Amino acid sequence: MEEGEVIEQLIEYTNVLLIGVSLIFTVVSAYIVALNYFVGEAMFLARFGAFAFIGLILALLVVVMRGAEQMHAGLIARLHEIDAEGNLTAAGRAAIENTSDGTDGIVRMLLWVGLVSVYGVLAYMTFLHRWKPDVVNVALQSRKAS
């Protein structure tokens, strides 16, 4: 694998990361809506089932992101190999610098902190918070002619 292909795959890794974050946001948003309208008032077993399902979805996303992290590490290792041959361009050196200066580590740490926080908040919202739906019942009354 040449340097250009490695850089292309590293850029694709960023796309995968951003798509993963957007999927997490979408799944969590849908779950919060479900909590507001029906899960929040459901019996414990139904809330537990809903929470287990959201946990399964988030676990699936975590496994996929973990695989992407491993692929990222392999791509960076390939850049180090190319650098050892003396054929690394500025783009390759910049990619290695992101790893060396901790930028990639900070991104990973923030992702994990965010996931753990979201999971904790969803647990609170599912099992402890008492939901009051945002639904206002409106009764239509007919007007009598005078």
Side-chain angles (χ1 to χ4, degrees), residues 68-128:
E69 282 181 12
Q70 290 174 343
M71 183 59 75
H72 180 265
L75 292 169
I76 294 297
R78 178 63 184 136
L79 286 179
H80 282 290
E81 291 170 354
I82 295 170
D83 189 29
E85 297 168 359
N87 297 327
L88 198 63
T89 65
R93 286 190 299 274
I96 289 176
E97 182 65 25
N98 278 345
T99 301
S100 301
D101 73 0
T103 301
D104 290 344
I106 292 169
V107 170
R108 277 192 300 277
M109 180 197 61
L110 290 174
L111 181 66
W112 288 109
V113 167
L115 277 171
V116 169
S117 299
V118 163
Y119 197 70
V121 168
L122 290 179
Y124 166 79
M125 290 169 55
T126 301
F127 298 113
L128 301 175

Side-chain angles (χ1 to χ4, degrees), residues 21-90:
V21 169
S22 69
L23 281 172
I24 291 168
F25 181 77
T26 302
V27 167
V28 168
S29 296
Y31 186 72
I32 291 171
V33 169
L35 281 171
N36 188 50
Y37 288 104
F38 52 92
V39 175
E41 293 180 350
M43 294 180 355
F44 178 79
L45 189 57
R47 285 184 287 150
F48 181 79
F51 187 72
F53 180 74
I54 192 79
L56 177 70
I57 298 302
L58 290 176
L60 175 66
L61 290 171
V62 164
V63 169
V64 169
M65 294 307 291
R66 182 68 186 125
E69 282 181 12
Q70 290 174 343
M71 183 59 75
H72 180 265
L75 292 169
I76 294 297
R78 178 63 184 136
L79 286 179
H80 282 290
E81 291 170 354
I82 295 170
D83 189 29
E85 297 168 359
N87 297 327
L88 198 63
T89 65

